[in-house]
Amino acid sequence: MSKLIQPRTLKGFRDHPPASMILRERLIDTAREVYRSFGFAPIDTPALEYTEVLLGKGGDETDKQMYRFSDHGGRDVALRFDLTIPFARFAAQHVPALGTPFKRYHVGSVWRGENTQRGRYREFVQCDFDTIGTESPLADVETLLVIHELFQRLEVGPFTIRVNDRKILTGLLQRLDLVDQSVPLLRALDKLDKIGPDKVAAEMQAEAGVSAAAADEVLALARLEGSNQAILEALPALVEGSELGAQGVERLRAVLEGAVAGGAQPSRLKLDVAIARGLDYYTGIVFETTLDDLPAIGSCCSGGRYDDLASLYTKERLPGVGASLGVDRLLAALEELGRLEQRSTPAEVLLVRFGEEHDGELLGLAARLRSAGLAVEVYPEARKLGAQLKFADRRGHRLAVVVGDAEWASGTAQLKDLASKESLEVDQAELAAACRARLGSV
RNA sequence: GUGGGCGUAGCUCAGUCGGUUAGAGCGCCGGUUUGUGGCACCGGAGGUCGGGGGUUCGAGACCCCUCGCCCACCCCA
């Protein structure tokens, strides 16, 4: 006898049983509905790309984290580590035919060879949406509205979209003549509410080589407090003399006001000047969305504006703005918060089976329920009724339909509500409507 | 990639200074109840103690390596 292969999965790669997958699909379905309702159109791209297409735009870190290898033809290839870079390539190839502005959404797995942690995996699903070919603030506003609507619809509890504009940071650095050190400075600033201002200042001096006084000036941002409005009023002084900085402040003001006018709850939008974001391609507005009850797990939906994303692939300028929903991280957060109702079957209704005599009629009944829009499973064996009801309950079916000799004779069915234990006798002709009423009332 | 913590039944975990056939609760299967589930009672299945090597008369326990999970750094969804 040959030795068994140990069933196992790679670190950071996970299986998804039904109870998990049903939730994932529901979340993704909601994202699709919201994106589509704003006019974003679906696209897909290959998981595998030429390495040269993926390299270079995200910075050294992402390059290191890429799954990269030679294919059978000796080509240097890699698995995508996000959906934005492949979209830039896609846009360079197809936008001439598609026209701009172009709005797309894209649901797919991405891969990063980094260490795993709670809410961090090596394979995870993102739901991206982006608008390219326009610099209109309306596109920025819409991006915020989509996130707002999405998190509202997902019923994740209280959340906060933290918003900033990179131009403000750049403007400040211009005024202080520190533009050359912007990458390490912003990286340090981004850690503000994690490690505190003292450590940020220390890191700025160590990593960016700036003076204590300069670090303190950058941290003047962090001392801004109060309402979005109050911060907006204080910002111009900090970026004085920088055209870019002034633009950033005005843009941010317009976008925040626009989002509120567009229906976003003001309390959900928080101007946070410490948000910088690591991916080097952001040039304008940036944002991160966290759950108020579990901010530590990190951002579940982030993005921003980039004004030259496709420049590696085309001479045509393609500015854009978009964001990415991290499905796996959001689910990890919701699970930890115990906010998920798990169910292991998509079928609301289970039809009990007593024996083979009435199989034809039983299947016919199931077919009628399905054509009425219900998801129906027929139990395949003739086990004891109690066992079948127990099965239905454990599996998560909400209704059981019991039809035995007596019911077949009278053309009726017994409809059981598994949760309330109530049971009622209905005409088979009325069964679908009765199921609907029952399910709708829950 | 760096540093720390942890891996015992499907799940949550006991397991004393190293000592004989490795335990509990929950879950699962069966029965009490061959057309009425969640409760109760009775019974049952299920463990290479993550894996490999070493120390020892003897290892779940001690040492080394390895794999995995968790936490921090880094970075990010």
Side-chain angles (χ1 to χ4, degrees):
Chain A
M1 200 163 107
S2 65
K3 196 179 173 202
L4 290 175
I5 296 165
Q6 185 195 357
R8 56 182 184 158
T9 55
L10 289 163
K11 179 182 176 68
F13 289 71
R14 305 173 303 155
D15 286 326
H16 298 289
S20 155
M21 205 58 202
I22 285 170
L23 293 165
R24 290 162 65 78
E25 288 193 347
R26 190 199 300 158
L27 204 155
I28 291 169
D29 285 347
T30 303
R32 285 201 174 101
E33 284 170 25
V34 172
Y35 297 163
R36 294 168 80 103
S37 76
F38 278 79
F40 292 85
I43 72 160
D44 200 6
T45 68
L48 207 59
E49 296 262 10
Y50 283 102
T51 301
E52 64 175 18
V53 167
L54 300 181
L55 276 181
K57 255 305 190 185
D60 294 342
E61 279 304 321
T62 43
D63 293 358
K64 273 187 232 158
Q65 293 175 358
M66 220 150 50
Y67 278 96
R68 180 180 178 183
F69 52 93
S70 291
D71 75 0
H72 295 319
R75 283 169 285 260
D76 186 1
V77 299
L79 287 165
R80 62 188 178 205
F81 62 86
D82 70 9
L83 298 177
T84 308
I85 300 293
F87 178 49
R89 193 226 77 224
F90 173 98
Q93 269 178 263
H94 300 292
V95 150
L98 296 166
T100 59
F102 178 62
K103 298 163 77 168
R104 80 89 174 80
Y105 72 86
H106 188 179
V107 179
S109 296
V110 303
W111 295 268
R112 296 182 191 175
E114 65 177 331
N115 242 340
T116 57
Q117 238 177 73
R118 174 183 62 162
R120 304 179 65 162
Y121 313 100
R122 290 184 172 175
E123 176 182 58
F124 58 95
V125 170
Q126 292 190 320
C127 299
D128 270 39
F129 65 98
D130 287 84
T131 303
I132 57 164
T134 174
E135 295 183 66
S136 167
L138 206 61
D140 297 21
V141 170
E142 259 195 355
T143 306
L144 292 180
L145 290 176
V146 168
I147 297 173
H148 185 272
E149 173 74 9
L150 182 54
F151 276 67
Q152 204 93 311
R153 288 268 301 270
L154 290 172
E155 296 177 339
V156 298
F159 61 92
T160 298
I161 308 174
R162 297 193 294 167
V163 189
N164 190 23
D165 194 305
R166 275 216 169 167
K167 287 188 174 126
I168 294 172
L169 299 170
T170 306
L172 176 74
L173 297 181
Q174 279 179 350
R175 181 171 74 81
L176 301 173
D177 200 22
L178 293 171
V179 175
D180 291 345
Q181 289 95 313
S182 65
V183 170
L185 285 175
L186 297 186
R187 191 170 290 160
L189 184 63
D190 206 39
K191 296 173 194 166
L192 183 62
D193 53 61
K194 202 159 191 179
I195 63 177
D198 295 344
K199 287 185 177 172
V200 169
E203 181 173 329
M204 284 176 172
Q205 291 167 62
E207 300 298 322
V210 303
S211 68
D216 189 62
E217 293 242 44
V218 178
L219 278 167
L221 278 177
R223 286 190 285 274
L224 296 180
E225 287 189 350
S227 67
N228 292 349
Q229 187 57 37
I231 295 174
L232 281 168
E233 280 165 18
L235 278 172
L238 286 175
V239 299
E240 195 173 1
S242 165
E243 176 66 18
L244 204 58
Q247 280 176 19
V249 175
E250 275 323 298
R251 176 80 171 208
L252 199 48
R253 179 200 307 280
V255 169
L256 287 171
E257 283 174 2
V260 171
Q265 291 176 38
S267 61
R268 298 289 181 225
L269 301 172
K270 173 78 186 127
L271 201 175
D272 184 342
V273 286
I275 301 287
R277 312 225 15 93
L279 293 174
D280 295 339
Y281 49 70
Y282 293 120
T283 53
I285 188 172
V286 288
F287 36 80
E288 301 186 345
T289 312
T290 50
L291 302 188
D292 294 358
D293 294 333
L294 191 60
I297 205 165
S299 171
C300 295
C301 185
S302 320
R305 171 167 281 281
Y306 38 86
D307 278 348
D308 55 358
L309 189 66
S311 65
L312 282 178
Y313 321 104
T314 179
K315 290 184 175 164
E316 186 178 351
R317 208 167 82 80
L318 286 173
V321 59
S324 180
L325 172 71
V327 172
D328 296 276
R329 175 169 295 178
L330 183 55
L331 283 172
L334 294 176
E335 185 176 1
E336 180 161 338
L337 292 171
R339 208 163 283 164
L340 297 177
E341 189 199 344
Q342 299 225 331
R343 197 176 286 280
S344 298
T345 175
E348 302 100 324
V349 183
L350 180 79
L351 293 195
V352 167
R353 177 173 182 258
F354 285 114
E356 60 189 332
E357 317 83 54
H358 296 286
D359 278 349
E361 292 156 277
L362 194 62
L363 290 172
L365 191 58
R368 268 177 280 147
L369 295 178
R370 289 191 190 105
S371 60
L374 295 158
V376 179
E377 179 170 346
V378 179
Y379 198 83
E381 299 188 15
R383 294 177 71 194
K384 310 194 298 192
L385 178 57
Q388 297 192 47
L389 291 175
K390 190 172 176 180
F391 172 89
D393 188 53
R394 295 271 154 86
R395 193 45 81 73
H397 298 287
R398 290 167 62 182
L399 301 173
V401 171
V402 182
V403 188
D405 289 336
E407 286 85 356
W408 288 123
S410 62
T412 59
Q414 186 194 143
L415 179 60
K416 274 190 82 75
D417 184 319
L418 274 314
S420 69
K421 257 187 133 162
E422 289 172 274
S423 176
L424 58 155
E425 198 80 14
V426 299
D427 239 48
Q428 287 178 18
E430 306 297 325
L431 184 57
C435 289
R436 277 251 149 277
R438 204 76 214 178
L439 291 170
S441 69
V442 176

